[in-house]
Amino acid sequence: MVGILVGGKGRGSNMRALISAGLPVSIVVGPSADAPALDVAAELGVATKVLDSRSPDFGPQLIEVLHAAGVQVLCLAGFLRLLPSSVLAAWPGRVLNIHPALLPAFGGRGMYGMHVHEAVRASGVTETGCTVHLVTEEYDEGAILAQLRCPVLPDDTAEDIAARVLALEHELYPHVVRGLL
Ligand code: GRF
């Protein structure tokens, strides 16, 4: 079974891609009841749970919810905070994240969303892509499991790059999770 942890503001498009790919997603956890991704999960018929990721009890609560849902692989999809080490210890090598750049480039604290694509555009690189990696106690530093690449074209805006990379994310994440299961 797969569990997905989403952020408070994310669209939930990677979550949707994982569910739509037919993966056995048993629970989607989000930080507040008005997280848009939780509505999408409910529409797709997947159970949802609200847990405040700022609470000191977040780690034990998340472990309990994931265990109850039979989760073997936990996928972060737009969740921007570091996870408690107790959660990482409970699913060793089984907590994944997708990042919208070719790590180790354009990763780390503050490198999320359009900040990544703006930095890619400003840097002058001719290639970008996305990375699925294991989650550790540092931002974007775990072992890289897979990457997909795409060009950065001379006239690209950051929005152009984001759209091209997002399409790759929706292809790569389900592929990697299926392999891990
Ligand atoms: C994606 O760009 C992903 O790479 C990053 O957060 C974003 C989430 O987007 N980790 P969405 O909510 O899945 O559409």
mmCIF file with all atom_site columns, all heavy atoms in Angstrom, residues 139-153:
data_model
loop_
_atom_site.group_PDB
_atom_site.id
_atom_site.type_symbol
_atom_site.label_atom_id
_atom_site.label_alt_id
_atom_site.label_comp_id
_atom_site.label_asym_id
_atom_site.label_entity_id
_atom_site.label_seq_id
_atom_site.pdbx_PDB_ins_code
_atom_site.Cartn_x
_atom_site.Cartn_y
_atom_site.Cartn_z
_atom_site.occupancy
_atom_site.B_iso_or_equiv
_atom_site.pdbx_formal_charge
_atom_site.auth_seq_id
_atom_site.auth_comp_id
_atom_site.auth_asym_id
_atom_site.auth_atom_id
_atom_site.pdbx_PDB_model_num
ATOM 1   N N   . TYR A 1 139 ? 17.038 18.554 3.511   1.00 0.00 ? 139 TYR A N   1
ATOM 2   C CA  . TYR A 1 139 ? 16.269 18.825 2.301   1.00 0.00 ? 139 TYR A CA  1
ATOM 3   C C   . TYR A 1 139 ? 16.976 18.290 1.055   1.00 0.00 ? 139 TYR A C   1
ATOM 4   O O   . TYR A 1 139 ? 18.130 18.639 0.786   1.00 0.00 ? 139 TYR A O   1
ATOM 5   C CB  . TYR A 1 139 ? 16.060 20.329 2.118   1.00 0.00 ? 139 TYR A CB  1
ATOM 6   C CG  . TYR A 1 139 ? 15.027 20.916 3.052   1.00 0.00 ? 139 TYR A CG  1
ATOM 7   C CD1 . TYR A 1 139 ? 15.406 21.736 4.106   1.00 0.00 ? 139 TYR A CD1 1
ATOM 8   C CD2 . TYR A 1 139 ? 13.679 20.658 2.867   1.00 0.00 ? 139 TYR A CD2 1
ATOM 9   C CE1 . TYR A 1 139 ? 14.454 22.290 4.956   1.00 0.00 ? 139 TYR A CE1 1
ATOM 10  C CE2 . TYR A 1 139 ? 12.729 21.202 3.717   1.00 0.00 ? 139 TYR A CE2 1
ATOM 11  C CZ  . TYR A 1 139 ? 13.110 22.012 4.754   1.00 0.00 ? 139 TYR A CZ  1
ATOM 12  O OH  . TYR A 1 139 ? 12.174 22.550 5.600   1.00 0.00 ? 139 TYR A OH  1
ATOM 13  N N   . ASP A 1 140 ? 16.296 17.435 0.302   1.00 0.00 ? 140 ASP A N   1
ATOM 14  C CA  . ASP A 1 140 ? 16.710 17.036 -1.057  1.00 0.00 ? 140 ASP A CA  1
ATOM 15  C C   . ASP A 1 140 ? 18.053 16.315 -1.114  1.00 0.00 ? 140 ASP A C   1
ATOM 16  O O   . ASP A 1 140 ? 18.732 16.362 -2.139  1.00 0.00 ? 140 ASP A O   1
ATOM 17  C CB  . ASP A 1 140 ? 16.766 18.266 -1.986  1.00 0.00 ? 140 ASP A CB  1
ATOM 18  C CG  . ASP A 1 140 ? 15.422 18.960 -2.082  1.00 0.00 ? 140 ASP A CG  1
ATOM 19  O OD1 . ASP A 1 140 ? 14.390 18.279 -1.981  1.00 0.00 ? 140 ASP A OD1 1
ATOM 20  O OD2 . ASP A 1 140 ? 15.421 20.196 -2.263  1.00 0.00 ? 140 ASP A OD2 1
ATOM 21  N N   . GLU A 1 141 ? 18.454 15.647 -0.025  1.00 0.00 ? 141 GLU A N   1
ATOM 22  C CA  . GLU A 1 141 ? 19.802 15.060 -0.018  1.00 0.00 ? 141 GLU A CA  1
ATOM 23  C C   . GLU A 1 141 ? 19.841 13.544 -0.110  1.00 0.00 ? 141 GLU A C   1
ATOM 24  O O   . GLU A 1 141 ? 20.905 12.962 -0.188  1.00 0.00 ? 141 GLU A O   1
ATOM 25  C CB  . GLU A 1 141 ? 20.542 15.517 1.243   1.00 0.00 ? 141 GLU A CB  1
ATOM 26  C CG  . GLU A 1 141 ? 20.901 16.982 1.150   1.00 0.00 ? 141 GLU A CG  1
ATOM 27  C CD  . GLU A 1 141 ? 22.048 17.368 2.032   1.00 0.00 ? 141 GLU A CD  1
ATOM 28  O OE1 . GLU A 1 141 ? 22.439 16.549 2.887   1.00 0.00 ? 141 GLU A OE1 1
ATOM 29  O OE2 . GLU A 1 141 ? 22.539 18.489 1.860   1.00 0.00 ? 141 GLU A OE2 1
ATOM 30  N N   . GLY A 1 142 ? 18.702 12.870 -0.064  1.00 0.00 ? 142 GLY A N   1
ATOM 31  C CA  . GLY A 1 142 ? 18.713 11.409 -0.070  1.00 0.00 ? 142 GLY A CA  1
ATOM 32  C C   . GLY A 1 142 ? 19.123 10.826 -1.410  1.00 0.00 ? 142 GLY A C   1
ATOM 33  O O   . GLY A 1 142 ? 19.205 11.537 -2.414  1.00 0.00 ? 142 GLY A O   1
ATOM 34  N N   . ALA A 1 143 ? 19.359 9.520  -1.407  1.00 0.00 ? 143 ALA A N   1
ATOM 35  C CA  . ALA A 1 143 ? 19.808 8.824  -2.624  1.00 0.00 ? 143 ALA A CA  1
ATOM 36  C C   . ALA A 1 143 ? 18.832 9.071  -3.771  1.00 0.00 ? 143 ALA A C   1
ATOM 37  O O   . ALA A 1 143 ? 17.611 9.030  -3.591  1.00 0.00 ? 143 ALA A O   1
ATOM 38  C CB  . ALA A 1 143 ? 19.906 7.330  -2.350  1.00 0.00 ? 143 ALA A CB  1
ATOM 39  N N   . ILE A 1 144 ? 19.410 9.329  -4.931  1.00 0.00 ? 144 ILE A N   1
ATOM 40  C CA  . ILE A 1 144 ? 18.607 9.563  -6.129  1.00 0.00 ? 144 ILE A CA  1
ATOM 41  C C   . ILE A 1 144 ? 18.196 8.214  -6.708  1.00 0.00 ? 144 ILE A C   1
ATOM 42  O O   . ILE A 1 144 ? 19.046 7.353  -6.969  1.00 0.00 ? 144 ILE A O   1
ATOM 43  C CB  . ILE A 1 144 ? 19.418 10.390 -7.148  1.00 0.00 ? 144 ILE A CB  1
ATOM 44  C CG1 . ILE A 1 144 ? 19.605 11.812 -6.605  1.00 0.00 ? 144 ILE A CG1 1
ATOM 45  C CG2 . ILE A 1 144 ? 18.721 10.406 -8.509  1.00 0.00 ? 144 ILE A CG2 1
ATOM 46  C CD1 . ILE A 1 144 ? 20.551 12.676 -7.418  1.00 0.00 ? 144 ILE A CD1 1
ATOM 47  N N   . LEU A 1 145 ? 16.886 8.030  -6.900  1.00 0.00 ? 145 LEU A N   1
ATOM 48  C CA  . LEU A 1 145 ? 16.378 6.772  -7.448  1.00 0.00 ? 145 LEU A CA  1
ATOM 49  C C   . LEU A 1 145 ? 16.201 6.843  -8.960  1.00 0.00 ? 145 LEU A C   1
ATOM 50  O O   . LEU A 1 145 ? 16.413 5.848  -9.654  1.00 0.00 ? 145 LEU A O   1
ATOM 51  C CB  . LEU A 1 145 ? 15.048 6.405  -6.792  1.00 0.00 ? 145 LEU A CB  1
ATOM 52  C CG  . LEU A 1 145 ? 15.082 6.214  -5.264  1.00 0.00 ? 145 LEU A CG  1
ATOM 53  C CD1 . LEU A 1 145 ? 13.707 5.788  -4.762  1.00 0.00 ? 145 LEU A CD1 1
ATOM 54  C CD2 . LEU A 1 145 ? 16.130 5.195  -4.866  1.00 0.00 ? 145 LEU A CD2 1
ATOM 55  N N   . ALA A 1 146 ? 15.773 7.985  -9.476  1.00 0.00 ? 146 ALA A N   1
ATOM 56  C CA  . ALA A 1 146 ? 15.551 8.109  -10.924 1.00 0.00 ? 146 ALA A CA  1
ATOM 57  C C   . ALA A 1 146 ? 15.396 9.570  -11.302 1.00 0.00 ? 146 ALA A C   1
ATOM 58  O O   . ALA A 1 146 ? 14.986 10.395 -10.473 1.00 0.00 ? 146 ALA A O   1
ATOM 59  C CB  . ALA A 1 146 ? 14.283 7.349  -11.327 1.00 0.00 ? 146 ALA A CB  1
ATOM 60  N N   . GLN A 1 147 ? 15.731 9.854  -12.557 1.00 0.00 ? 147 GLN A N   1
ATOM 61  C CA  . GLN A 1 147 ? 15.558 11.217 -13.079 1.00 0.00 ? 147 GLN A CA  1
ATOM 62  C C   . GLN A 1 147 ? 15.033 11.158 -14.509 1.00 0.00 ? 147 GLN A C   1
ATOM 63  O O   . GLN A 1 147 ? 15.289 10.189 -15.228 1.00 0.00 ? 147 GLN A O   1
ATOM 64  C CB  . GLN A 1 147 ? 16.898 11.973 -13.084 1.00 0.00 ? 147 GLN A CB  1
ATOM 65  C CG  . GLN A 1 147 ? 17.440 12.233 -11.676 1.00 0.00 ? 147 GLN A CG  1
ATOM 66  C CD  . GLN A 1 147 ? 18.727 13.023 -11.676 1.00 0.00 ? 147 GLN A CD  1
ATOM 67  O OE1 . GLN A 1 147 ? 19.632 12.723 -12.457 1.00 0.00 ? 147 GLN A OE1 1
ATOM 68  N NE2 . GLN A 1 147 ? 18.819 14.010 -10.794 1.00 0.00 ? 147 GLN A NE2 1
ATOM 69  N N   . LEU A 1 148 ? 14.297 12.180 -14.912 1.00 0.00 ? 148 LEU A N   1
ATOM 70  C CA  . LEU A 1 148 ? 13.956 12.381 -16.324 1.00 0.00 ? 148 LEU A CA  1
ATOM 71  C C   . LEU A 1 148 ? 14.397 13.794 -16.691 1.00 0.00 ? 148 LEU A C   1
ATOM 72  O O   . LEU A 1 148 ? 14.319 14.706 -15.872 1.00 0.00 ? 148 LEU A O   1
ATOM 73  C CB  . LEU A 1 148 ? 12.451 12.229 -16.555 1.00 0.00 ? 148 LEU A CB  1
ATOM 74  C CG  . LEU A 1 148 ? 11.892 10.800 -16.637 1.00 0.00 ? 148 LEU A CG  1
ATOM 75  C CD1 . LEU A 1 148 ? 10.373 10.857 -16.817 1.00 0.00 ? 148 LEU A CD1 1
ATOM 76  C CD2 . LEU A 1 148 ? 12.534 9.990  -17.757 1.00 0.00 ? 148 LEU A CD2 1
ATOM 77  N N   . ARG A 1 149 ? 14.842 13.939 -17.942 1.00 0.00 ? 149 ARG A N   1
ATOM 78  C CA  . ARG A 1 149 ? 15.427 15.208 -18.383 1.00 0.00 ? 149 ARG A CA  1
ATOM 79  C C   . ARG A 1 149 ? 14.623 15.838 -19.501 1.00 0.00 ? 149 ARG A C   1
ATOM 80  O O   . ARG A 1 149 ? 13.985 15.135 -20.285 1.00 0.00 ? 149 ARG A O   1
ATOM 81  C CB  . ARG A 1 149 ? 16.852 14.944 -18.920 1.00 0.00 ? 149 ARG A CB  1
ATOM 82  C CG  . ARG A 1 149 ? 17.776 14.451 -17.863 1.00 0.00 ? 149 ARG A CG  1
ATOM 83  C CD  . ARG A 1 149 ? 19.040 13.827 -18.438 1.00 0.00 ? 149 ARG A CD  1
ATOM 84  N NE  . ARG A 1 149 ? 19.816 13.362 -17.311 1.00 0.00 ? 149 ARG A NE  1
ATOM 85  C CZ  . ARG A 1 149 ? 20.683 14.101 -16.629 1.00 0.00 ? 149 ARG A CZ  1
ATOM 86  N NH1 . ARG A 1 149 ? 20.946 15.339 -17.029 1.00 0.00 ? 149 ARG A NH1 1
ATOM 87  N NH2 . ARG A 1 149 ? 21.302 13.624 -15.581 1.00 0.00 ? 149 ARG A NH2 1
ATOM 88  N N   . CYS A 1 150 ? 14.715 17.159 -19.600 1.00 0.00 ? 150 CYS A N   1
ATOM 89  C CA  . CYS A 1 150 ? 14.113 17.874 -20.727 1.00 0.00 ? 150 CYS A CA  1
ATOM 90  C C   . CYS A 1 150 ? 14.968 19.103 -21.010 1.00 0.00 ? 150 CYS A C   1
ATOM 91  O O   . CYS A 1 150 ? 15.723 19.550 -20.146 1.00 0.00 ? 150 CYS A O   1
ATOM 92  C CB  . CYS A 1 150 ? 12.666 18.263 -20.430 1.00 0.00 ? 150 CYS A CB  1
ATOM 93  S SG  . CYS A 1 150 ? 12.469 19.373 -19.032 1.00 0.00 ? 150 CYS A SG  1
ATOM 94  N N   . PRO A 1 151 ? 14.843 19.643 -22.222 1.00 0.00 ? 151 PRO A N   1
ATOM 95  C CA  . PRO A 1 151 ? 15.645 20.829 -22.545 1.00 0.00 ? 151 PRO A CA  1
ATOM 96  C C   . PRO A 1 151 ? 15.092 22.090 -21.877 1.00 0.00 ? 151 PRO A C   1
ATOM 97  O O   . PRO A 1 151 ? 13.900 22.173 -21.572 1.00 0.00 ? 151 PRO A O   1
ATOM 98  C CB  . PRO A 1 151 ? 15.513 20.934 -24.066 1.00 0.00 ? 151 PRO A CB  1
ATOM 99  C CG  . PRO A 1 151 ? 14.251 20.216 -24.405 1.00 0.00 ? 151 PRO A CG  1
ATOM 100 C CD  . PRO A 1 151 ? 14.058 19.151 -23.364 1.00 0.00 ? 151 PRO A CD  1
ATOM 101 N N   . VAL A 1 152 ? 15.986 23.043 -21.676 1.00 0.00 ? 152 VAL A N   1
ATOM 102 C CA  . VAL A 1 152 ? 15.581 24.420 -21.357 1.00 0.00 ? 152 VAL A CA  1
ATOM 103 C C   . VAL A 1 152 ? 15.873 25.225 -22.623 1.00 0.00 ? 152 VAL A C   1
ATOM 104 O O   . VAL A 1 152 ? 17.020 25.275 -23.069 1.00 0.00 ? 152 VAL A O   1
ATOM 105 C CB  . VAL A 1 152 ? 16.380 24.984 -20.169 1.00 0.00 ? 152 VAL A CB  1
ATOM 106 C CG1 . VAL A 1 152 ? 15.975 26.437 -19.909 1.00 0.00 ? 152 VAL A CG1 1
ATOM 107 C CG2 . VAL A 1 152 ? 16.179 24.138 -18.923 1.00 0.00 ? 152 VAL A CG2 1
ATOM 108 N N   . LEU A 1 153 ? 14.839 25.810 -23.207 1.00 0.00 ? 153 LEU A N   1
ATOM 109 C CA  . LEU A 1 153 ? 14.999 26.513 -24.475 1.00 0.00 ? 153 LEU A CA  1
ATOM 110 C C   . LEU A 1 153 ? 15.309 27.991 -24.225 1.00 0.00 ? 153 LEU A C   1
ATOM 111 O O   . LEU A 1 153 ? 14.925 28.548 -23.178 1.00 0.00 ? 153 LEU A O   1
ATOM 112 C CB  . LEU A 1 153 ? 13.735 26.349 -25.311 1.00 0.00 ? 153 LEU A CB  1
ATOM 113 C CG  . LEU A 1 153 ? 13.344 24.873 -25.547 1.00 0.00 ? 153 LEU A CG  1
ATOM 114 C CD1 . LEU A 1 153 ? 12.008 24.773 -26.285 1.00 0.00 ? 153 LEU A CD1 1
ATOM 115 C CD2 . LEU A 1 153 ? 14.437 24.129 -26.304 1.00 0.00 ? 153 LEU A CD2 1
#
